[in-house]
Amino acid sequence: MAQQRDRQRATRLRTWSAFGDLGRRPGEYEVLTHGMNHTMGATPLELPPEAHGNRWLREHRDGMALTVPDWDAFRDPDRVTYGSYVAAQDDRETYVEGLLERFDEEQHDERLTARQLDLLALAVTPARYLVHGQQMLSAYLQQLAPGSYVATCAAFQTADQLRRVQLLAYRTTQLARTHPDRAFGLAERTTWEHQPDWQPFRRATEEALVAYDWDVALVSFQLVVKPVADAVLLHGLARRLDTVGIPLDSLITDDLGRDAHRAARWTRALLKFLTDADPGNRAVLQGHLDTWATHGTAMAAAGARLLGAPDAEATALETWDELLSAGGLARPRTP
């Protein structure tokens, strides 16, 4: 009887059985995402086993401390596909292009005061360096991701960061043309490398760029650098720009914040997935967080100073705490 039931079950299987026990037909999201990571075999890349790429993946991904029985069980809460991403971002770009055109016609940049230009030169245009670092960090998470569902989330996040780099560069060029005496487009590197309140962001970004183990890279960037930087230099910055009367950059920054909210959603889902997959993963993540959390607190304080908005620090820390709580994690409290 048992053999007969097995044969009957085998005859009922359809091509979508490769997606696991979904209990339903796979949707477009699963069809386009499931099992697409070709580097999960014994020899990850189609190269000799001791080729540098294979050794790198074995050491920095396969040898990490996180334990997950099935990485393909993770799901992006937004279930983003290439098609849905392109359609959504096309709408966002149409909106931003409309803003740029309308405010250009109204001579927005020509009417900016010296105080407003000072804020843009200090807290907005130098962020191009920070965001480019975030783009590289997102790409590294994608390249080494141990499952295609996680990799897809990181890939779209990388595209988000590229969009932000492009808009910062565009606004920098506009400001440089309108105010050639202010060194827009020329002074940002010096500001990034030497202005005191940018240094916690630079230090955290550069150290995260050499966090090669995937679990450490995940914590250092996705749980520290990105959420704190986004809380201050997207959400907090949008409010500050609106307060001081720079509506164009406030609206653009607020729109970019939508991308950050989506990144936070999949990050919270991944944290819950990891701690549900193996309770021991919480200790691994918390251990890495204990090492990296000082970067986050320093960034929150420095970001508030950059904005000239003391309340931005507490708001950023509160947002950060909410993200970490999804995995039962907590930033260490200093005495």
Side-chain angles (χ1 to χ4, degrees), residues 4-24:
Q4 182 179 0
R5 285 196 300 270
D6 289 342
R7 285 195 298 271
Q8 290 174 343
R9 181 178 181 276
T11 59
R12 292 196 300 269
L13 292 178
R14 300 293 187 267
T15 56
W16 58 82
S17 61
F19 293 84
D21 189 14
L22 293 178
R24 57 174 174 78

Side-chain angles (χ1 to χ4, degrees), residues 92-157:
R92 302 317 316 153
E93 285 300 289
T94 299
Y95 166 73
V96 171
E97 287 171 6
L99 290 177
L100 291 166
E101 182 178 351
R102 175 164 65 89
F103 280 92
D104 191 46
E105 291 173 353
E106 296 173 0
Q107 296 186 314
H108 170 274
D109 290 352
E110 287 84 348
R111 293 184 285 105
L112 292 170
T113 67
R115 178 169 172 262
Q116 291 168 333
L117 290 168
D118 287 343
L119 178 60
L120 291 169
L122 175 64
V124 176
T125 58
R128 182 172 78 253
Y129 290 91
L130 169 68
V131 179
H132 184 60
Q134 291 183 326
Q135 179 190 342
M136 291 189 288
L137 288 162
S138 291
Y140 187 76
L141 285 180
Q142 183 271 323
Q143 286 291 308
L144 261 71
S148 55
Y149 288 93
V150 178
T152 299
C153 289
F156 293 132
Q157 180 176 285

Side-chain angles (χ1 to χ4, degrees), residues 19 30 33-38 72 147-149:
F19 293 84
E30 280 114 356
T33 312
H34 193 90
M36 301 298 284
N37 190 335
H38 67 284
D72 278 339
S148 55
Y149 288 93

